[in-house]
Amino acid sequence: MSAPKTDAVRIVRLAWLRLPPAHRSLLEAVGASQWQIVNGPIGSIADDMLRSAGQPGLLPPARSRLDGALGAWVPGLEVLLINIGHPAIAGLDTQAHEAFVAHIAWHEGGHALSLARCSPEDVAAGDKLLALAPEGISEGIRGAGYGAKSYTHEVVAETYALMMARRIRGHRDKPTWLDDEIYNLLKRVTGWVD
């Protein structure tokens, strides 16, 4: 195993252990407690893994969309994939690398919880939630080209990752930059508590 992959495994394991126990239990309940570090396009890797497991592969548009992702939760495999070969990770110093890989792990955990626990009404409110999200979150989601049906899941996932990073730094309260509606959704879907 190469050093970067070994480091990523260690970082993701630590990110998992830093989650509150109740969050780990929820992730286990929705089948998102395992991860695999990969070095290549996630859509193609997920497609190969699904087919190897005897499941239908990804449709070409979904595979293509996921190929550029930093990470993804693959529900049919119940695994989080993290691409350490992604250009956004290359060249980061040690501290930034650790923070970014942990962020990806938390984001994908939040994404899995959102996909499993959001109601159809939550998903339908995606445009509104995106408008209420902090500018950095909303610009990132729009810039990535997600469709409206993904807005709620991406808002929950990115907010969850940012909240976990704050928690590690000792901040447990609701930040002023987070709208109450998003915060209440985050609490309901991920089990977040102050």
Side-chain angles (χ1 to χ4, degrees), residues 85-194:
H86 196 283
I89 295 176
L92 295 177
D93 65 34
T94 301
Q95 187 175 4
H97 180 265
E98 288 185 6
F100 197 38
V101 171
H103 182 93
I104 295 166
W106 291 327
H107 176 100
E108 294 308 328
H111 199 255
L113 290 172
S114 181
L115 284 168
R117 298 173 49 98
C118 278
S119 70
E121 293 78 20
D122 295 331
V123 174
D127 283 323
K128 179 182 178 186
L129 293 168
L130 193 61
L132 295 172
E135 189 174 331
I137 292 175
S138 61
E139 285 179 2
I141 293 169
R142 284 192 181 98
Y146 289 105
K149 289 185 178 182
S150 296
Y151 290 168
T152 297
H153 303 307
E154 292 302 325
V155 167
V156 169
E158 190 59 18
T159 303
Y160 183 75
L162 292 171
M163 293 292 285
M164 275 305 304
R166 287 183 85 250
R167 185 182 198 96
I168 299 307
R169 292 189 307 270
H171 304 286
R172 295 182 179 255
D173 57 331
K174 177 187 160 293
T176 56
W177 51 261
L178 186 57
D179 184 85
D180 285 342
E181 190 166 342
I182 295 172
Y183 186 62
N184 291 333
L185 176 62
L186 185 75
K187 288 183 351 183
R188 181 168 45 81
V189 169
T190 69
W192 192 268
V193 293
D194 292 334

Side-chain angles (χ1 to χ4, degrees), residues 39-41 67-70 83-92 100:
N39 188 350
D67 273 344
L70 290 157
N83 180 6
I84 60 164
H86 196 283
I89 295 176
L92 295 177
F100 197 38

